[in-house]
Amino acid sequence: MEKAGWTPLPHSDEDLERSKSVPDTPQTRAETYRLAWNDPDFMTRRELRAVRLQLELLKPEMILAERGIRSTVILFGGARLPEPGGEAWAAKNETQKKNLEENSKYYEEARKFARLCSQQSAASYYREYVVVTGGGPGVMEAGNRGADDVGAPSIGLNIVLPHEQAPNPYVTPELCFNFHYFAIRKMHFVMRAKAVAVFPGGFGTMDEFFETLTLIQTGRMERVPVILFGKSFWKRAIDLDFLAEQGTISPGDQDIIDFVDTADEAWGIISRFYKLGE
């Protein structure tokens, strides 16, 4: 990227290189002598939290904007779902193993759905309807993999977790981001979202799903298609009709959501919503 405009003053990258060539003395080895923004010990102090929040918002935003990405399709879903025929590695007992293996069909539907999104994205030179996932395994891997199947880029928004993990191998490397703050990661999910597809998952999936619903219900986010894959799964996992009966949501709030079982159904909803075939 070209430097933004001419200035007679040295750029920070130039001074960073100059700072590395200073004589080695007790003074230059001192932590206090480091350039503030190149000092990990200083940047990770608790007092710098506001600065780190800003940086986590700014870095992916600048890169996505430079890439020309204007809109995305989010795929939320469980990290524990294996691909069909794969090992249910997260199962803690035989019941979980059986159910995870049965739900592996949603891995394949997520992969198909991502292919459909990416084929549409190609019409805009991959600026619209770009697939974005959390970058991990399971449904997330299926989403990035589906985009990769048709040679399309896809985004992965990974996060540092206590257990060892890494982005799945199908995320476009230069669109693979890592976060410390869940809140900023969630902002990047929805900032460009034209549709939200939610596959069977656990607490994380529920968190992301209900946060999106809250934004739409309160008018903080424009209405976009919110699609739940797996009618039988979600009818048992949540009961929105019950919430409406109890008065804790308004009658009709359930209509924010569409339920589907297949990728073709889901893409049909998005196509009709945005009149893509007209």
Side-chain angles (χ1 to χ4, degrees), residues 202-244:
F203 291 156
T205 301
M206 297 283 192
D207 174 47
E208 293 156 341
F209 166 50
F210 278 104
E211 180 131 30
T212 305
L213 287 186
T214 302
L215 290 171
I216 294 173
Q217 182 202 46
T218 57
R220 297 294 299 169
M221 177 179 175
E222 287 188 23
R223 178 76 179 269
V224 301
V226 178
I227 304 166
L228 294 186
F229 276 75
K231 296 174 185 177
S232 60
F233 177 91
W234 290 108
K235 291 295 184 183
R236 286 198 61 185
I238 58 174
D239 191 341
L240 297 179
D241 291 333
F242 174 75
L243 295 181

